[in-house]
Amino acid sequence: MLHNRRLILAHFWLAFAVFAAALLLGAWQMYVRSPLSPWISNPEWYYRSLTAHGTVMGYVFPTLVAMAFGYAISETSLKQNLVGLRWAWAGFWLIAVGAVVAMIPVALGLASVLYTFYPPLIGSPFYYIGVVMVVLGSWIWVALMSINLRIWKKENPGTPVPLPMFANVAGSYLWAWTAVGAALELLLQIIPVALGFKSTIDAGLARVFFSWTLHAIVYFWLMPTYIAYYTIVPRAIGGRIYSDTMARISFILFLVVAMPIGIHHAFADPQVGAGFKFLHSVFTALVALPTLLTVFTICASVEIAARARGGRGAFGWMGALPWRNPMMLAVTFSFVMLGFGGAGGLINMSYQLDTTIHNTQWITGHFHLIFGGAIVIMYFAIAYDLWPHLTGRPIASLGLVRLQLWLWFVGMIVTTFPWHYVGILGMPRRMSFFDYTDPALANEAVSVVLSAIGGVILAASGILFIFILISTQFSQPRQIEDYRFALAVHPPTRVPVALNSYGLWIALMIGLTVTNYGYPILQLAARDDTSVPAVYVGER
Amino acid sequence: MTEIHDEGATVAERVERRWAAVAVLIIVFLAGMAAFAGIHQATMPQTTVETIDPTTIHLQGEFVESNLGSAVGADGSVTVRAVGQQYSFSPPCLLVPSRTPITIRATSADVVHGLLVQGTNINTMLVPGYVSVQKATFSEPGEHLMPCQEFCSVGHEGMWGKVKVVDKQQFLSELADKRRISCAP
Ligand SMILES: [Cu+2]
């Protein structure tokens, strides 16, 4: 049983509560922009809703899940009580209060700038300050993870850091550095303008700062999912980790190469030259490497489970897998969505192909498939796996869990596949409605309706998820065995220093970021002719 | 027992290494393709960063109203100039010749907009303070929608321009007595 159950549950519950609210907003958006709904009279509501949906789903929800999971990992994998409990609670409250501070102006229509900010559009300062509070709260977690590992290392000299904690701390460092880009944009550029100290802003520079955060943040969202692939899935289905070393290499690769690639978000921007765009394109290709390695290792780990259950033959073992096990179902769905989403990602990373789909509905389809699909379905799996240990009660109905996972998978496919299709046709994203009477757009109406139906299925799945968690919380307590993570086929006895610490990799991460971002940022920052007047949002 | 185990470990490691090599090759191939397409100028990002003051574009310089639309240069090349502002493009309809290399030069007068021509791979961001340059060729006469693809505040959904592609002869004859043309009503 875990010691800091209240702390971990508080993070999870806040995460899932804001997730459910944002999910309903998302489904509503899908409905109102479809031909099913009469013309909405005030598009402002759509953009308020979109800002809230994006801010919660992008910043608050995944951060809280990573933190909750991180605290659980620290305690269970190190078998050491968490140091810094008070600080952890302080971090939690910073995020909770920050989320409220950010959401009030959004609800009032004073910050409809979407979660990507879009300067020179400037919203209420409270929105940005709230976001900064969320980031500060999460940095406390980063520090705590690092401190707890250090204490453990001091007490266990020469012992390999358990894989879950190794990955968890790598993820926290990745986040700490990733968030710096948006933090610089907010603190140096946007907040001074929002508070009225300045009235001009360099929108091009702001976009470069933001790209620093915006791509690597996806790998931060991904970390809990990958940790679950490696350290929960094999155990839950009766297998073992194929290779502990390869797992460590994958997490290190994420730490090093996930960072310096964000300019691929600015492929179509005029403020970055061709050279750095090409460089970031190559680095983006490189970040496919840890995922390719992971797909192999996880498939092999799953095969081990199947063969242990009597599976035979080159492909016959697949029939021997425990398909009714929710974890098996979740990881399969996750991989299918990761496959489609990853293929789309390879298209986005290439400058030439990107021009066809840049900023169209394709992009929305792509990242919903990766984040909302492949990643979030594993967040569900993590919650289902941990809940009995957090509450002392077993999950009430595995049948409902399977239904919920199926609904999420089907809903995500029905939502995102039509988006990819209309994206290729050139349908722009972030529009509150379309004129379906225009003959050039009329044939896109069916796709938008399909996505809206997908949105309803997703909302139903999300509600079911919350229902399962609540009903477990109120079911009969039972003796629950200790929480444990998957073991490797060959558990490491000694690990090279490079695969057991981060110094070298952090240096590389920072070094590569500086080479890939230093020149574009300095070049823009040094110019004095690129700042433009701010455009304030809402009534002032 | 440990011998079998060790043997298994060696096999596992070998398979793993091979897969890693295949993965690296895939990535090298992808990056190579991007470099090849870039060198062959299939589509390449603009190489130079050009800046412009959005507060004065309507008063002076290349983006004053009388200079927007399509023009033919001394060397016969076609340049199309456009400005995005909340919530329209100027001119709202671009007239271009088919089967002719054209250069689109565009910027924003206020916030970030995007210029996308449906059915083509013309797709660029308009960031205030900077000039976006894109080269393109339209193969067939016809009409394309040109939505703003970036959120530019409430009203974004109403920002739709048009591109009308006509054959080169018609384009030149329409241009004959004018310096600039567009298909704006
Ligand atoms: Cu616009």
Side-chain angles (χ1 to χ4, degrees):
Chain A
M1 196 77 101
L2 292 153
H3 291 286
N4 298 303
R5 289 183 290 166
R6 281 169 60 90
L7 175 76
I8 297 166
L9 271 174
H11 282 78
F12 271 129
W13 268 122
L14 182 60
F16 295 136
V18 295
F19 162 76
L23 179 65
L24 294 178
L25 287 182
W28 176 80
Q29 288 157 30
M30 296 312 304
Y31 169 71
V32 295
R33 80 207 290 272
S34 79
L36 300 173
S37 145
W39 211 249
I40 54 169
S41 54
N42 187 357
E44 236 263 284
W45 285 98
Y46 180 86
Y47 298 117
R48 289 183 200 187
S49 169
L50 193 53
T51 306
H53 175 84
T55 306
V56 164
M57 294 301 204
Y59 302 135
V60 186
F61 167 54
T63 306
L64 283 166
V65 169
M67 290 168 74
F69 193 29
Y71 289 131
I73 289 172
S74 170
E75 200 182 304
T76 51
S77 76
L78 299 183
K79 300 192 169 51
Q80 158 189 301
N81 212 341
L82 185 77
V83 174
L85 190 59
R86 273 162 194 246
W87 280 102
W89 277 109
F92 172 79
W93 285 111
L94 254 177
I95 294 180
V97 174
V100 173
V101 168
M103 280 308 123
I104 289 172
V106 171
L108 295 176
L110 298 175
S112 297
V113 293
L114 312 195
Y115 83 112
T116 33
F117 308 152
Y118 294 120
L121 281 178
I122 299 289
S124 157
F126 292 104
Y127 171 64
Y128 308 110
I129 290 168
V131 171
V132 169
M133 288 171 72
V134 170
V135 173
L136 288 179
S138 71
W139 280 352
I140 294 180
W141 165 75
V142 173
L144 288 179
M145 290 300 97
S146 177
I147 291 166
N148 277 277
L149 179 60
R150 190 156 302 171
I151 292 168
W152 182 87
K153 270 189 160 177
K154 211 169 253 172
E155 284 167 13
N156 300 271
T159 318
V161 176
L163 179 62
M165 190 60 177
F166 184 76
N168 177 37
V169 175
S172 76
Y173 289 152
L174 171 67
W175 169 240
W177 183 240
T178 295
V180 168
L184 290 174
E185 182 195 6
L186 287 170
L187 297 175
L188 299 180
Q189 294 193 278
I190 293 181
I191 291 178
V193 179
L195 289 172
F197 299 139
K198 267 182 75 186
S199 62
T200 62
I201 186 165
D202 185 338
L205 177 60
R207 290 174 70 79
V208 173
F209 274 136
F210 195 75
S211 81
W212 164 326
T213 294
L214 189 58
H215 199 79
I217 198 174
V218 178
Y219 295 94
F220 166 62
W221 299 340
L222 204 81
M223 278 295 177
T225 292
Y226 273 50
I227 296 173
Y229 284 165
Y230 279 105
T231 68
I232 294 182
V233 169
R235 184 257 297 143
I237 62 169
R240 288 201 162 209
I241 307 172
Y242 180 76
S243 166
D244 179 273
T245 311
M246 204 50 121
R248 283 169 201 261
I249 291 174
S250 297
F251 286 112
I252 286 168
L253 279 171
F254 274 129
L255 185 61
V256 176
V257 295
M259 256 311 301
I261 63 177
I263 285 180
H264 75 220
H265 285 252
F267 274 162
D269 279 25
Q271 79 278 8
V272 184
F276 278 94
K277 285 176 181 168
F278 179 73
L279 192 65
H280 282 240
S281 184
V282 170
F283 272 88
T284 311
L286 209 57
V287 84
L289 187 60
T291 292
L292 288 169
L293 296 178
T294 298
V295 168
F296 175 81
T297 309
I298 300 308
C299 287
S301 309
V302 170
E303 184 184 340
I304 290 168
R307 296 205 187 274
R309 292 164 60 94
R312 289 158 179 281
F315 295 101
W317 55 269
M318 288 184 190
L321 283 167
W323 289 109
R324 290 176 61 76
N325 182 322
M327 192 60 75
M328 188 66 226
L329 218 49
V331 73
T332 308
F333 292 154
S334 182
F335 264 41
V336 171
M337 292 190 278
L338 189 67
F340 284 115
L346 291 177
I347 288 170
N348 305 344
M349 68 138 248
S350 121
Y351 176 81
Q352 287 80 10
L353 296 175
D354 178 71
T355 54
T356 311
I357 42 86
H358 171 78
N359 250 350
T360 66
Q361 206 64 51
W362 165 287
I363 302 298
T364 326
H366 162 71
F367 74 76
H368 276 81
L369 206 46
I370 292 276
F371 176 56
I375 294 174
V376 168
I377 207 164
M378 291 308 290
Y379 288 1
F380 297 149
I382 291 167
Y384 289 140
D385 198 56
L386 278 172
W387 230 245
H389 302 272
L390 292 170
T391 60
R393 296 149 212 261
I395 297 283
S397 160
L398 291 188
L400 279 186
V401 170
R402 281 193 289 270
L403 175 66
Q404 189 265 325
L405 295 171
W406 268 106
L407 281 176
W408 192 261
F409 175 64
V410 171
M412 203 43 91
I413 298 287
V414 174
T415 303
T416 58
F417 278 32
W419 278 349
H420 280 84
Y421 171 67
V422 292
I424 294 171
L425 297 181
M427 181 185 264
R429 67 200 275 206
R430 304 177 176 124
M431 281 200 166
S432 61
F433 49 67
F434 295 94
D435 180 4
Y436 300 105
T437 58
D438 187 321
L441 296 179
N443 62 338
E444 291 169 10
V446 179
S447 302
V448 183
V449 171
L450 277 176
S451 289
I453 294 170
V456 174
I457 301 174
L458 289 172
S461 174
I463 292 167
L464 186 55
F465 171 67
I466 301 288
F467 172 78
I468 295 169
L469 294 189
I470 293 178
S471 60
T472 301
Q473 204 110 28
F474 288 103
S475 70
Q476 278 307 315
R478 209 177 303 160
Q479 190 63 38
I480 307 283
E481 56 186 295
D482 274 352
Y483 192 78
R484 59 184 189 85
F485 289 99
L487 295 173
V489 178
H490 302 281
T493 44
R494 261 180 309 132
V495 176
V497 182
L499 296 183
N500 207 39
S501 59
Y502 309 92
L504 171 64
W505 309 116
I506 290 173
L508 256 177
M509 169 180 82
I510 294 176
L512 277 175
T513 315
V514 170
T515 44
N516 280 19
Y517 268 105
Y519 182 76
I521 288 175
L522 284 180
Q523 188 200 25
L524 291 173
R527 299 187 78 124
D528 57 0
D529 59 342
T530 51
S531 283
V532 301
V535 177
Y536 293 95
V537 167
E539 307 97 300
R540 288 220 162 202
Chain B
M1 183 61 201
T2 47
E3 264 167 45
I4 298 172
H5 222 65
D6 287 345
E7 205 182 296
T10 339
V11 173
E13 220 177 291
R14 195 168 62 224
V15 176
E16 201 173 70
R17 242 184 234 140
R18 278 188 194 154
W19 173 254
V22 170
V24 169
L25 281 178
I26 293 173
I27 285 153
V28 170
F29 175 70
L30 288 173
M33 277 204 317
F36 178 80
I39 289 161
H40 280 253
Q41 298 290 318
T43 38
M44 271 306 278
Q46 68 189 85
T47 43
T48 52
V49 176
E50 290 183 50
T51 59
I52 191 163
D53 182 354
T55 57
T56 56
I57 52 175
H58 59 297
L59 300 174
Q60 61 189 42
E62 71 168 296
F63 291 100
V64 292
E65 182 145 16
S66 60
N67 208 35
L68 299 177
S70 311
V72 178
D75 58 348
S77 64
V78 175
T79 303
V80 184
R81 290 189 177 81
V83 171
Q85 65 261 306
Q86 288 174 331
Y87 299 102
S88 65
F89 291 102
S90 299
C93 181
L94 307 180
L95 187 73
V96 295
S98 63
R99 296 195 184 83
T100 312
I102 59 169
T103 303
I104 299 170
R105 293 179 57 81
T107 188
S108 163
D110 42 36
V111 300
V112 177
H113 300 278
L115 186 157
L116 177 158
V117 181
Q118 291 190 341
T120 73
N121 51 15
I122 298 171
N123 196 344
T124 188
M125 304 304 304
L126 309 182
V127 180
Y130 301 87
V131 180
S132 304
V133 185
Q134 193 161 24
K135 295 193 187 301
T137 307
F138 292 86
S139 51
E140 293 300 324
E143 279 202 355
H144 300 267
L145 287 178
M146 186 176 77
C148 168
Q149 37 81 335
E150 189 59 284
F151 174 71
C152 53
S153 191
V154 194
H156 165 54
E157 69 286 333
M159 191 163 163
W160 291 75
K162 261 191 186 150
V163 174
K164 193 173 168 192
V165 189
V166 295
D167 82 31
K168 194 166 185 184
Q169 282 316 313
Q170 191 188 338
F171 177 80
L172 291 175
S173 67
E174 285 199 29
L175 189 66
D177 56 339
K178 301 186 199 89
R179 214 164 56 84
R180 307 275 154 186
I181 47 169
S182 76
C183 41

